[in-house]
Amino acid sequence: MNHTPARFWQTTVVLLVVVGLILLAISGYIAPLIKTATDPLIGVQRWVAVRFNAIHEILTVPQDVATLRMRNEQLENEISGLRTQIIELQQQMREADVLYALLDYARSRPQSVYIASSVIGRDPSPFLRYIIIDHGSDNGLRRGMPVVTEQGLVGRVDAVIANAARVQLITDPGSAVNVRLQSEPIEFVLTGSVTGALTLEMVPQDLELTPGELVLTSGLGGNYPPDIVVGQITSVRKRGIDLFQTASVQPVVDFAALRAV
């Protein structure tokens, strides 16, 4: 019974202290004391955090660099693969364009039967003009058959095996094509050369040749069907002492870029 008043007063004092501290905190008088007491602790914590982060970066940066390098290598491999796919798709599109052009050419001349072939090789000799195609006697090809593209005349089949054939280009020095001008029924001979240049020969002196005029096959001799475009006259060589004049002809077919016939 004697301890009851003491406990009461202790509780009362504690409550008064708590209420006083709350009032001081609300009024802002205790904030400077708290700041003074906590500043050293915050400074220590900041110092420890800076050192910890530095140590953590030292330990983890090598792993991060290795990961980034590995990821970079993977991305470079993916980019290389995508570039390869783009090149393959572009090549397929070009081949498709060529095949569609050949198909259109065949449809425009239904009187003949056509076999589409890819160019798979060229004669390595600098003095000969031949290409190798991937169709042969098994596909119905025979020696002497004319070879064309949608642009114009290429040449003729010179040799055949079962699954391939050699084509003599009209630019070969041994090639001779009977041709005519688009505006004249007179026939001439177009010959190739060692340099690959085409020359229109046996042209009468009194015939007026015009640069830019088209040269077509005449059909004479039966080696080539008539009216296939061969090229255009680019220049004329005419001398009074010669029996005939000659002219240079630019072929319409780009033989360097020939991929299919």
Side-chain angles (χ1 to χ4, degrees), residues 183-232:
S183 60
E184 294 286 346
I186 304 175
E187 296 174 349
F188 317 101
V189 177
L190 185 72
T191 59
S193 64
V194 174
T195 61
L198 292 176
T199 303
L200 197 63
E201 298 181 344
M202 308 297 290
V203 181
Q205 288 278 18
D206 59 349
L207 182 64
E208 189 68 28
L209 296 178
T210 304
E213 187 165 8
L214 284 179
V215 178
L216 312 175
T217 56
S218 66
L220 182 66
N223 291 328
Y224 298 99
D227 300 328
I228 299 176
V229 180
V230 180
Q232 285 183 307

Side-chain angles (χ1 to χ4, degrees), residues 2-22:
N2 295 332
H3 295 289
T4 300
R7 290 179 180 175
F8 172 77
W9 289 109
Q10 289 176 357
T11 303
T12 301
V13 171
V14 170
L15 290 174
L16 290 174
V17 171
V18 170
V19 171
L21 291 173
I22 292 173

Side-chain angles (χ1 to χ4, degrees), residues 1-2 11 14 39 52 54 62 67-68 71-72 76 81-82 107 110 114 127 162-163 178 182-183 200 211 222-223 251:
M1 296 297 292
N2 295 332
T11 303
V14 170
D39 279 349
F52 175 80
T67 302
L68 289 174
R71 181 57 178 164
N72 186 57
E76 287 180 351
L82 290 174
R107 287 173 175 172
Y114 297 89
F127 307 109
N163 56 2
N178 293 314
Q182 186 179 29
S183 60
L200 197 63
N223 291 328

Side-chain angles (χ1 to χ4, degrees), residues 33 48 50 70 74 79 89 94 97 113-114 118 127 138 155 161 175 183 186 194 207 210 212 220 223 228-229 238 244:
L33 296 175
V48 172
V50 170
M70 183 180 299
Q74 291 175 352
I79 291 173
L89 290 174
R94 285 193 293 267
D97 290 341
V113 178
Y114 297 89
S118 296
F127 307 109
D138 288 349
I161 59 176
S175 171
S183 60
I186 304 175
V194 174
L207 182 64
T210 304
L220 182 66
N223 291 328
I228 299 176
V229 180
K238 184 176 182 180
F244 299 96

